[in-house]
Amino acid sequence: MSAWSCPHDLNGICQRVRGAICSPGMRGCELEGKVRFANEALNQPRKPVKAAAPAAKPATATPARRRLPF
């Protein structure tokens, strides 16, 4: 057994397949067709799944006031 980390994985989002959830071996992944996984379900061709948009931060009630230089 061995362990590895994908260089295209950034916080669970694939940077090679733009905007997809990182799933090793999916279509577009550099591992696709090059390796065999112990889990047979991962060896089947799979489409990338689009990642959910990050939650927007709530706006502050009052905007910051501009400070004058004098």
Side-chain angles (χ1 to χ4, degrees):
M1 291 183 64
S2 65
W4 59 277
S5 176
C6 180
H8 304 290
D9 181 14
L10 181 64
N11 297 329
I13 306 297
C14 182
Q15 300 301 301
R16 184 173 171 112
V17 181
R18 300 276 184 218
I21 296 173
C22 185
S23 176
M26 70 180 167
R27 187 171 61 197
C29 179
E30 68 180 43
L31 296 176
E32 177 187 19
K34 294 181 181 178
V35 298
R36 293 208 34 95
F37 297 98
N39 184 352
E40 284 298 319
L42 294 177
N43 292 324
Q44 303 301 320
R46 294 168 288 148
K47 289 186 176 181
V49 177
K50 188 172 184 176
K57 294 181 180 177
T60 58
T62 56
R65 297 187 72 173
R66 183 173 172 206
R67 297 181 68 191
L68 299 176
F70 53 87

